[in-house]
Amino acid sequence: MKIQGNNNILLLLCPLLLAAGLEVNGLSYDYSASIECLANPLRPQYGGGIMVNPEFNDGLKGWSSFGNAVIQHRESEGNSFIVAHSRKQPYDSVFQKVHLESDKLYTFSAWIQMSAGSDVSVRAVFKTSTEFIHAGATIAESNCWTMLKGGLTVNASGPAELYFESENTTAEIWFDSISLQPFTQDEWKSHQDQSIEEIRKRRVTIQAVDGQGNPLPNATISIQQKAGGFPFGCAMNNLILSNTAYQNWFTSRFRVTTFENEMKWYSTEPSEGRQDYSVPDAMVRFARQHNIAVRGHNVFWDDPHYQQGWVNSLPKKQLSIDTFGRANNIVKRYKGQLIAWDVVNENLHFNFFESRLGAQASGIMYNWVLKADGETPLFLNEFNTIEDSRDIKSTPKAYIKKLREIRSFPGNFRGRFGIGLESHFITPNIPYIKASIDILATQKVPIWITELDVQSGPNQARYLEQILRELHSHPQVQGIVIWSAWAPQGCYRMCLTDNNFKNLATGNVVDKLLHEWGLRAFDSSSATTDANGFFEASLFHGDYEVNITHPSVTNSSLVHRFNVAPSTSQEPLLLKLSA
């Protein structure tokens, strides 16, 4: 924490982490997750929740065969589990009937093992009278147990059947430690509120004293936040360079941005050898002038539909030369000016460069970028990892597998890596979002929400608020960028403002949360110190100004500036200022 002040008042600040003291309604949320394949499964979360016989210590009680599978209770080294074999269809597995309620949020987990063969995706599905809900998926292995963690909500209360799916019908599937835990809306919100208090705020104690160190009771303390500490931003495009109204609307709200298209290869080199960086250069200058941090997006895009015609026509050797040139040129050009690089975009769903240059193309490209700039964090940017539990290509474990492959390429171990989650939502599955980030957090690298939007519809603004509250409250999310660059003909999927820069419903949600979370400067709030000159507050991370006045002190209208920063310390931080 940094403080500036002067003259006749001594300001003593004692920031504390709010590690306890808030009551959570009901059961606490379990953030734990495991990505490793273990010799034995861990105990079920929440003791199994509402599942009957979650550890199979009572044989097959509560469980039946789903489809044509044959199920069997087994034990190994004192551990009981259930096996589905003789499977003919992907859905041939085990099932249990449960009752689900529409006003509850459910977190789900299970431990799974395949009998033999290569790694296989296994999905958990809840069948209701009207829909099939995918609660999550994992890549199961043989000879060890893998955790599947996810979650779900339902549109209508009623009975449901939990079962599992896997395309590999030749292998047995083993199950253990299955948990389904319901939370009420109040419990879930309580968890969010407590998390925000713990990770986005610090407890601050201010003591006003005179120049001799004597406490000043009944001093008036006015506090104003000047800037937020959590990176929250929005995409922009080149139209901002010439539109004053766009500039004013944007710069009054956001402190981080991503350029929608202007840094992409097809924008900077539309024809071979003719590079033009004038537009992104101007946008970087604009951002710097307004104290807005920039994420680099992107060095490469693996989707074949977004390659220039001349890139598509290159033979392998020349493609390798030109891709190296692309990485080297753009990364060195903006070295020291960006806070991140999306190096290979959508690398789980597409493989243009791998198909042309070989299976290690991604690792090589990250290595080129790392050599050109070893300081800027390098992100793998992907969609559907938290948006859609049905997409097997980009499950949290599939994401981690690809990230590990890239990091294991020779020389890449020294790089600073990050996880980028595009987050293009239709209907959000809030418990699944939280569970997916829990899994990704096992990698202990920065996690950013990089392209957040919600499909147009009557619930767009409501869904946006639900998603933003969930993401901001997760301890491992370190930044959020909304994908709503303005254009007169409409935004990519979601606009925040109309063409007169009047907020739409989505923009109102953003403004409300910016104010609520201390991410946009707000009016001063005043309080009075107690008999010993103390005042306490829980403040969001960010930059502040404090004005202290007291009739007994000559020239008592003073302004002190300080920063509230995250800290893992449990000890008070004491700071003094005097004339």
Side-chain angles (χ1 to χ4, degrees), residues 20-37:
L22 283 181
E23 290 187 4
V24 175
N25 295 324
L27 192 65
S28 296
Y29 179 81
D30 188 345
Y31 285 97
S32 66
S34 174
I35 195 63
E36 304 305 331
C37 206

Side-chain angles (χ1 to χ4, degrees), residues 108 437 440 460 498 504 536:
F108 176 81
I437 299 175
L440 295 168
Q460 185 182 52
D498 64 16
L504 301 171
E536 291 189 358

Side-chain angles (χ1 to χ4, degrees), residues 63 69 196 250 275 282 383 487 528 531:
W63 297 91
I196 287 173
F250 193 99
Q275 297 177 16
F383 64 90
T528 302

Side-chain angles (χ1 to χ4, degrees), residues 92-159:
D92 290 341
S93 62
V94 300
F95 88 94
Q96 184 172 132
K97 290 183 178 180
V98 294
H99 183 85
L100 302 179
E101 299 178 47
S102 60
D103 60 346
K104 298 286 198 335
L105 300 95
Y106 293 86
T107 183
F108 176 81
S109 60
W111 285 82
I112 300 172
Q113 181 175 167
M114 303 301 291
S115 62
S118 58
D119 300 350
V120 175
S121 293
V122 178
R123 300 178 291 272
V125 184
F126 286 80
K127 177 186 176 184
T128 73
S129 60
T130 59
E131 57 185 335
F132 292 84
I133 304 171
H134 290 243
T138 191
I139 301 172
E141 303 177 37
S142 58
N143 301 316
C144 57
W145 291 90
T146 298
M147 186 182 194
L148 184 159
K149 188 175 187 182
L152 72 153
T153 58
V154 292
N155 294 321
S157 300

Side-chain angles (χ1 to χ4, degrees), residues 40-53:
N40 291 295
L42 301 181
R43 299 293 300 275
Q45 293 189 320
Y46 313 103
I50 62 173
M51 299 303 301
V52 175
N53 191 19

Side-chain angles (χ1 to χ4, degrees), residues 88 114 118 122 156 235 384 408 433 535:
K88 304 298 182 184
M114 303 301 291
S118 58
V122 178
N384 278 356
S408 66
I433 294 172
F535 166 74

